Structures are given as C-alpha cells and as structure tokens.
C-alpha cells in the first residue's frame, strides 16, 4: 500500500509529467472509482488545465483552472501512468484523462479500492474525505496535538498512530519504523506514552518520512510509483518486514506480532512494554542450582515459570508425541508420557535429532511463557537451561546465569536423585559463552546461605 512518502513521490512525478496540460475528455471505465456522478465528473473536467499539485495526508490534490480541485486516494494499488494516445487500454485502467497534446493520463488500480472526487477550491477541505483527515507531521509545530488526543486512549500506540484523523501520513510500514526509532513498544497503551516520547515520535515521523521521500518511497510487494521507477527506501527499513532478522541497534532477533490485526515488527530488547511486569531469566548448566534460585525469588514475590515443567506437560500431549515420532520413530512412551531418561540418552547419541526436537519444543514453550508474562500481575522468573537458544532471553529484562564447578554439579545432581553421567555429558555441549550475555553471574559452589546472600544483594534488599 502506498503511504505518505510514496504518495508524495507520485505527486512529484505527476507534477513533472502533467503540469500545464489541458484535459480534452475523460473516460470513466469503472463508475465506482468516482465519488459522485461519473458523467458529471467527466463533463466538468473538459477544457480544465492542471495548474498545480498538492498533498493532504495520503491524498493527492490536482489543482485545476476555474477553482476546481480533484482529490485522488490511491488506497492499496492505485497508480498513474502517462501514455501516448495510441497505446491500448489495459484490464486495470479505470479512468483515462485525455490531453490536448496527444497524451493521456491513466488511473490504473488492480485492487480497485482507489477513489477520485471532484470538488471546489472553496469546499474541498471542508468536505469528506479531507474534512476527517488530521494534519501530517510536517504540518504540525509540536506534539501537543498527540498529547491531547492520546491522554485518555487505552488503545495501543500503534493503532493510535494509524488513525489518520489524528495525525495523517503514517501507515503500517512507517509506524513500525518510527516506534523502533523511539524505542516505544507498539502495544503500549497510548495514554502511557510520555510527553517526551510523543515529542520524539513526532520528530522521528518527520525524519523517517523525509528519508523515505528522498529515496522515492518504499517499493512493497507490487507497488511502484511510476513505470520503471521503484522506491529505494525499503533498503533502509530497520524493522518492517524483517521478522527474525537482527536488530541494527542491539543485535537481538526481531519479532513479529499482530496489533489490532496489523502485522507489526519490533525489537523485544529495545522496545519494552511498560504494562508487563519485570521478567528475570534464570539459566545455566544442569545441576548448578537454577531451581534453588528461582524458588528463593518466588518467596520474594516473583511468579516462577519453569520451562522444564512446561516441557514435561508438552511431552504428555499426543499431538506433540506424534510430531516427535516423525523423526524419532522408536520414541519410548510409558503411561501416556515420553520416557525422558530414554530420550536423554538417545539425544546424547543423536545431536542432530536433539536440534530438531528443540526447534519444535522451543516455539511451543516460548508461546506459553509469553502468554504467562502478558497475563502475570507479579514480576516473573523464567527458569530455562536453554534460555538463549530458545529465544526466551528476548523476553527478559535481566538474566541470572547460575554457575557451579563440576564437583558442585555432581553434588547437586546426587542430592536431587538425578542421573549424573548423562547430565554431565549434556553439560559438555552447554554454551558457556552465554555467561557473557547475562546481567548477573552467580557462583553456587558454597552453601545455600551464600547463594541467598548473593541474591539478596541484587534483588531482595
């Protein structure tokens, strides 16, 4: 869909191609494209000369002689092509403006959503649709309009910015870019966005739109502002359309969600949702004491989400068992549950199968954990040995890496009755470099009192 930069680009191209041309006749090939009587529309444009062009939000304004104004909204796929009179009309050509110099301007629209309306210089801003269009960022002196409009709105800031009656010109592409530039989470309730942030959003809107206009807009899917011309700004897009790509600021994986039905890409690390309570990730090799850390934080008001427990529940689901059996046909199932000891031994001998299993399980676990985080009224602890590998680190505000010597790991594993050898074997493949990514590293080689003391100094003062 063409947005403000694309519309501005089309306006400038039309100005180059058609300014000063006089209309001799108009063929309306699809009556519904015209707002009002199509025959009267065509008749009223005869002998009118195009004297200037303007833009209001995403609407192109044709200024004509005799104080007439033509308003064009391209919607999803609207385009204008200037052709020689001899060229044939094509399937999606909906309106044809014939000029006195042997050329014709064709309005072409594959999706047929675009609309054209004729009005007067005196009334065009007073009538719909322009009477309901808010000022674009270039028309605003500051962000006070946004402050007033959003102060009582509980809807997501993404949805609020897409409301063209408040501030026009930002569509799905550029809202994502502006929110990323200002580090505002797209689901933040509009009323919780501070005055400082709104001012940054207004300024970023101008910067992003200006950059896109200079680049000729963004060619998205099949939209091109002119035959042979493609917008180049898509190469500068930071987040839009880059799901699972890398954040250019922090290097984290970008995520895609849907906000009021609109696909939205953002960085979960740079753009924090203020409505979500603090999330602490707890990770580390097997037998280091992660559960002890999580339980202690649970006693101090945190809701604990243990991913091992989630996996245990998932393993009991027939649909998950069926999916795993596709690549592990000999999977052992006892009393409706996967034999985890057998599975652990199998995965040690088949690391490629382990990787495939993790891809299935990680996505399921992440979905459950994210839902719990959104619904939790308490700060939350996410305990996950593979916190980074599963992408759960992106949901965390802070991360604790629990470390322990091999001897301590053996003691901890024996104390809880776990199988020592297989656990230590799995630990050999543990990515210890994750320690560098953690906010805090806690060494658990002494007694539990020492462990609690370390936690108290960080979280439980």
């Amino acid at each position: 869909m063409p947005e403000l930069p694309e519309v501005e680009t089309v306006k400038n191209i039309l100005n180059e191609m058609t300014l000063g041309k006089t209309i001799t006749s108009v063929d309306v090939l699809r009556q519904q494209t015209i707002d009002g009587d199509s025959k009267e529309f065509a008749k009223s444009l005869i002998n009118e000369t195009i004297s200037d062009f303007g833009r209001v939000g995403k609407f192109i304004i044709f200024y004509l002689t005799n104080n007439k104004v033509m308003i064009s909204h391209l919607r999803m796929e609207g385009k204008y092509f200037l052709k020689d009179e001899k060229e044939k009309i094509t399937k999606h050509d909906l309106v044809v403006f014939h000029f006195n110099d042997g050329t014709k301007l064709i309005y072409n629209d594959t999706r047929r959503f675009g609309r054209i309306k004729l009005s007067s210089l005196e009334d065009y801003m007073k009538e719909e649709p322009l009477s309901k269009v808010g000022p674009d960022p270039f028309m605003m002196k500051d962000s006070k309009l946004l402050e007033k409009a959003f102060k009582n709105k509980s809807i997501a800031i993404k949805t609020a910015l897409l409301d063209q009656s408040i501030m026009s010109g930002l569509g799905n592409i550029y809202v994502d870019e502006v929110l990323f530039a200002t580090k505002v989470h797209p689901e933040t309730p509009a009323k919780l966005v501070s005055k400082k942030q709104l001012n940054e959003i207004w300024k970023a809107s101008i910067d992003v739109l200006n950059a896109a206009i200079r680049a000729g807009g963004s060619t998205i899917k099949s939209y091109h502002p002119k035959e042979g011309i493609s917008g180049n700004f898509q190469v500068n897009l930071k987040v839009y359309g880059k799901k699972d790509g890398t954040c250019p600021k922090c290097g984290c994986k970008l995520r895609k969600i849907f906000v009021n039905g609109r696909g939205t890409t953002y960085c979960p690390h740079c753009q924090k949702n203020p409505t979500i309570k603090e999330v602490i990730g707890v990770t580390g090799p097997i037998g280091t004491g992660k559960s002890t850390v999580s339980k202690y934080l649970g006693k101090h008001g945190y809701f604990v989400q243990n991913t091992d427990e989630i996996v245990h529940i998932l393993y009991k689901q027939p649909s998950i068992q069926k999916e795993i059996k596709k690549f592990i046909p000999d999977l052992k199932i006892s009393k409706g549950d996967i034999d985890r000891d057998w599975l652990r031994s199998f995965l040690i001998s088949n690391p490629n199968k382990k990787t495939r299993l993790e891809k299935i399980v990680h996505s399921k676990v992440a979905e459950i954990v994210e839902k719990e985080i959104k619904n939790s009224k308490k700060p939350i602890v996410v305990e996950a040995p593979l916190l980074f590998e599963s992408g759960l680190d992106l949901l965390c505000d802070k991360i604790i890496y629990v470390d322990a010597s091999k001897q301590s790991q053996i003691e901890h594993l024996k104390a809880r009755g776990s199988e020592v050898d297989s656990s230590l074997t799995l630990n050999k493949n543990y990515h210890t470099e994750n320690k560098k990514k953690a906010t805090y590293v806690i060494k658990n080689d002494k007694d539990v009192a020492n462990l609690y003391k370390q936690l108290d100094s960080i979280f439980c003062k």
Side-chain angles (χ1 to χ4, degrees):
M1 175 189 288
E3 297 192 23
L4 186 151
E6 290 74 53
V7 174
E8 179 71 14
T9 299
V10 173
K11 184 207 78 173
N12 293 337
I13 292 170
L14 284 169
N15 186 66
E16 293 173 10
M17 296 192 305
T18 65
L19 187 66
K21 290 180 181 283
T22 299
I23 301 169
T24 56
S25 64
V26 179
D27 296 328
V28 179
L29 305 178
R30 183 177 184 274
Q31 313 301 314
Q32 297 93 323
T33 301
I34 307 301
D35 281 350
D37 189 304
S38 60
K39 291 182 179 179
E40 184 62 32
F41 171 86
K43 182 180 177 180
S44 298
L45 287 173
I46 296 174
N47 295 325
E48 290 294 333
T49 300
I50 300 174
S51 58
D52 200 2
F53 284 92
R55 179 189 52 74
V56 177
K58 300 178 187 179
F59 293 83
I60 297 173
I61 313 300
F62 292 69
Y63 293 100
L64 308 168
T65 47
N66 299 307
N67 292 323
K68 292 179 182 177
V69 173
M70 190 170 76
I71 304 159
S72 173
H73 194 192
L74 302 174
R75 295 281 178 90
M76 294 289 289
E77 292 283 348
K79 307 173 185 70
Y80 280 100
F81 300 137
L82 184 68
K83 296 185 178 183
D84 189 272
E85 275 287 8
K86 296 178 182 179
E87 293 189 53
K88 293 182 179 180
I89 296 300
T90 62
K91 180 181 178 181
H92 300 295
D93 294 342
L94 308 184
V95 183
V96 183
F97 303 88
H98 300 275
F99 295 127
N100 61 347
D101 63 352
T103 61
K104 58 187 176 185
L105 182 67
I106 297 173
Y107 176 71
N108 177 287
D109 193 342
T110 306
R111 301 289 291 276
R112 300 188 170 196
F113 291 149
R115 293 292 180 269
I116 300 174
K117 177 182 179 180
L118 190 62
S119 185
S120 67
L121 188 62
E122 181 182 0
D123 296 329
Y124 81 104
M125 288 298 292
K126 301 174 186 177
E127 301 172 345
E128 292 187 19
L130 298 188
S131 61
K132 292 188 175 182
V133 177
D136 67 40
F138 301 108
M139 300 166 66
M140 297 162 57
K141 294 181 180 179
D142 51 40
S143 59
K144 288 182 180 178
L145 176 66
L146 299 182
E147 293 172 21
K148 183 179 179 181
F150 296 165
K151 66 178 181 180
N152 294 317
K153 285 189 178 292
S154 298
I155 60 172
I157 185 63
K158 163 102 186 225
T159 303
L161 289 173
L162 288 173
D163 185 345
Q164 301 299 294
S165 69
I166 298 172
M167 181 175 75
S168 64
L170 289 182
N172 204 41
I173 299 170
Y174 298 109
V175 169
D176 279 8
E177 294 298 304
V178 166
L179 291 177
F180 174 72
T182 53
K183 297 184 178 182
V184 176
H185 192 286
E187 291 182 310
T188 303
K191 64 183 180 182
L192 295 185
V193 181
S194 68
K195 290 182 179 180
K196 180 176 180 293
Q197 287 175 315
L198 288 175
N199 192 55
E200 290 172 351
I201 285 173
W202 166 61
K203 289 181 177 179
S205 298
I206 294 173
D207 292 342
V208 168
L209 292 175
N210 263 330
I213 290 168
R214 287 194 297 271
S218 300
T219 299
I220 303 298
K221 293 186 180 178
S222 62
Y223 183 76
H224 298 268
K226 177 184 175 184
E227 286 185 309
I229 293 180
S230 296
N232 292 315
F233 190 67
Q234 72 270 17
V235 300
N236 296 321
L237 294 173
K238 301 293 191 297
V239 292
Y240 179 85
K242 297 182 182 293
K243 174 192 173 185
D244 294 331
T246 301
C247 172
K249 292 181 181 178
C250 72
C252 284
K253 184 187 289 186
L254 299 174
R255 304 194 67 200
K256 183 177 180 179
I257 57 174
F258 287 88
V259 180
N260 198 26
R262 305 301 297 273
T264 303
T265 310
Y266 73 105
C267 173
H269 180 263
C270 296
Q271 296 166 267
K272 295 293 185 182
N273 190 334
T275 64
I276 291 177
K277 299 295 184 180
E278 182 184 43
V279 181
I280 305 296
V282 177
T283 191
I286 302 169
T288 54
K290 297 182 296 298
S291 294
T292 305
V293 169
S294 298
K295 288 176 183 177
Y296 188 69
L297 292 176
K299 291 179 181 178
H300 286 79
Y302 286 83
F303 173 74
V304 178
Q305 186 69 275
N306 187 309
T307 59
D308 277 345
E309 293 176 0
I310 296 174
V311 171
H312 189 67
I313 293 170
L314 289 173
Y315 280 171
K316 292 182 179 181
Q317 297 179 6
S319 59
I320 297 295
Q321 295 172 3
K322 184 178 179 180
E323 197 167 351
I324 296 173
K325 274 196 168 188
K326 289 178 182 178
F327 59 95
I328 307 179
D330 297 330
L331 183 69
K332 303 296 182 186
I333 298 174
S334 176
K335 296 181 180 179
D337 195 0
I338 290 174
D339 186 330
R340 299 186 74 178
D341 289 334
W342 178 90
L343 182 61
R344 185 185 295 110
S345 299
F346 176 84
L347 295 177
I348 289 172
S349 304
N350 298 271
N352 59 322
K353 302 289 186 181
K354 180 175 180 289
T355 301
R356 188 167 176 181
L357 175 66
E358 287 174 351
K359 283 184 179 180
I360 294 172
V361 174
H362 286 169
S363 62
K364 303 285 185 184
V365 171
E367 187 179 328
I368 294 169
V369 170
E370 188 164 7
K371 186 176 180 180
E372 287 289 348
I373 288 172
K374 284 187 176 182
N375 295 332
S376 180
K377 295 181 180 179
K378 294 181 178 182
I380 190 167
V381 168
V382 177
E383 181 188 331
L386 301 178
L387 187 80
F388 294 98
E389 291 79 359
S390 62
L392 291 173
D393 60 304
L394 299 179
L395 303 176
C396 301
D397 298 299
K398 298 171 184 176
I399 296 171
I400 302 173
Y401 184 100
V402 187
D403 200 9
S405 65
K406 183 178 179 180
Q407 184 57 43
S408 294
Q409 290 175 30
I410 293 171
E411 292 173 4
H412 297 155
L413 289 166
K414 285 181 177 179
R416 70 188 197 194
S418 298
E419 214 288 318
V420 175
D421 291 339
S422 61
S423 296
L424 293 179
T425 300
L426 289 172
N427 278 351
K428 287 180 181 179
N429 297 319
Y430 192 82
H431 299 294
T432 53
E433 63 268 20
N434 287 337
K435 190 188 302 185
K436 298 175 183 177
K437 302 176 187 177
T439 315
Y440 308 102
V441 176
I442 292 180
K443 194 75 172 177
N444 187 24
D445 281 338
K446 297 182 180 179
D447 57 23
V448 71
N450 180 267
L451 180 64
Y452 292 164
K453 185 178 180 181
Q454 293 180 70
L455 291 170
D456 286 343
S457 68
I458 300 171
F459 297 103
C460 307
K461 295 178 182 178

